[in-house]
Amino acid sequence: MNCPFSSKPRWARRKEARPQELLAAALDLFVERGFAATRLGDVAARAGVSKGTLYLYFESKEDLFKAVVRENIVPALAEAEDIIDGYQGPSAELFREILLGWWEHIGATKLAGITKLLMAESGNFPELAAFHREEVSERGEAMIVRMLQRGIERGEFRAIDVRQTANVLIAPVIMLMMWQQPLNPCHVEPVDAGSYLDSFIDLCLHGLLSKP
C-alpha cells in the first residue's frame, strides 16, 4: 500500500536541512558572542547536532563564518546589483530604493552584528577582514559607485568624485548599524532608524542632484 506522505525518510530531510540549521546557529552565536568566543561545539549544540556532524559540512570556524556571510549578505548584494542594472527610473528614486532595501535586509536585522564583529575583531583575524573586504565591502562600494555614475551620466547628479562620495555615504549607514547593536552603553537615547535614513537621504540628494 502506498503511503500518503512523502516517501523521503524523516532523517533524510533532516540531513538536508543541517547546513542551513548550522548557519543559522552560527549567525546567532557570532552576533551574540563575537568570533573568538564562539565555539564550534556550541554552534553544533544550538543546531541540535553533534560537533562531528558540523565538521562534515565545515572544516573550521573560519569556513563557517565565510559561509554565513556568503549565505546571508552576498545574495543581498547581488540582488541590489541586479536592481541597479535594470532600473529604468530616476537615479534619486534608485538611491532611495537601494539604501532602504539594504537597511531592511541587512541593517535592521541581526546581520548588522557581523559588521560590529569585524570592527571589533578584525585586528586579531586579518584573514576574515580580508575576506569580508573582498566579497562584501569592495563589492558594495563598487555598486554605489556605479549608482552614482549612472546619475551623473544621466545628468541627474552633479559631477563628483564618485569613489570618495561612496565612502562618505557608507560611513553614516555603518554608524547607524552600530547604534542598533548593544555597543555603546553611554548612548541612552535610541536612534529612530526610519527618521535617520529619511534625513540622510534628503541631505544626500540635495547635495547630489544637479541644479535645474
Side-chain angles (χ1 to χ4, degrees):
M1 184 175 65
N2 293 330
C3 176
F5 302 105
S6 170
S7 60
K8 184 179 291 187
R10 181 178 179 182
W11 62 266
R13 294 198 299 272
R14 168 71 174 170
K15 183 177 180 180
E16 291 172 359
R18 280 176 186 161
Q20 294 301 319
E21 293 169 350
L22 286 165
L23 290 173
L27 173 60
D28 286 343
L29 288 170
F30 284 144
V31 170
E32 291 171 14
R33 303 180 183 178
F35 184 80
T38 295
R39 299 184 301 176
L40 290 181
D42 293 336
V43 174
R46 183 165 295 195
V49 302
S50 69
K51 188 174 179 180
T53 298
L54 184 149
Y55 278 113
L56 294 175
Y57 302 100
F58 307 103
E59 294 183 358
S60 66
K61 187 164 65 170
E62 289 76 8
D63 286 341
L64 181 59
F65 178 84
K66 292 176 182 179
V68 167
V69 172
R70 287 172 174 152
E71 175 70 20
N72 294 283
I73 299 178
V74 171
L77 276 173
E79 181 180 353
E81 289 168 342
D82 289 342
I83 291 173
I84 292 172
D85 289 341
Y87 203 79
Q88 300 298 317
S91 295
E93 293 181 7
L94 173 60
F95 180 89
R96 177 179 292 275
E97 180 172 339
I98 292 297
L99 184 61
L100 295 181
W102 178 259
W103 184 256
E104 178 183 355
H105 292 99
I106 304 295
T109 74
K110 67 180 67 174
L111 290 169
I114 296 295
T115 301
K116 173 191 171 185
L117 180 157
L118 286 163
M119 292 180 69
E121 302 187 64
S122 59
N124 294 326
F125 302 98
E127 179 189 346
L128 294 184
F131 158 77
H132 189 271
R133 182 169 60 251
E134 179 179 345
E135 298 213 9
V136 177
S137 301
E138 291 180 356
R139 189 171 171 181
E141 181 182 344
M143 178 187 71
I144 295 173
V145 166
R146 192 162 73 251
M147 180 171 59
L148 294 173
Q149 193 63 48
R150 175 191 190 270
I152 294 171
E153 292 172 355
R154 289 164 59 99
E156 297 168 326
F157 294 166
R158 61 188 180 85
I160 52 174
D161 182 332
V162 291
R163 294 200 174 276
Q164 288 299 338
T165 301
N167 291 328
V168 171
L169 295 176
I170 291 169
V173 177
I174 292 178
M175 196 66 241
L176 179 60
M177 291 167 67
M178 294 303 94
W179 280 336
Q180 304 303 307
Q181 301 296 312
L183 179 70
N184 183 1
C186 296
H187 190 85
V188 179
E189 287 291 331
V191 176
D192 183 278
S195 297
Y196 180 101
L197 291 171
D198 284 341
S199 298
F200 179 62
I201 290 170
D202 180 71
L203 181 65
C204 291
L205 290 180
H206 279 85
L208 288 170
L209 294 174
S210 60
K211 296 181 179 180

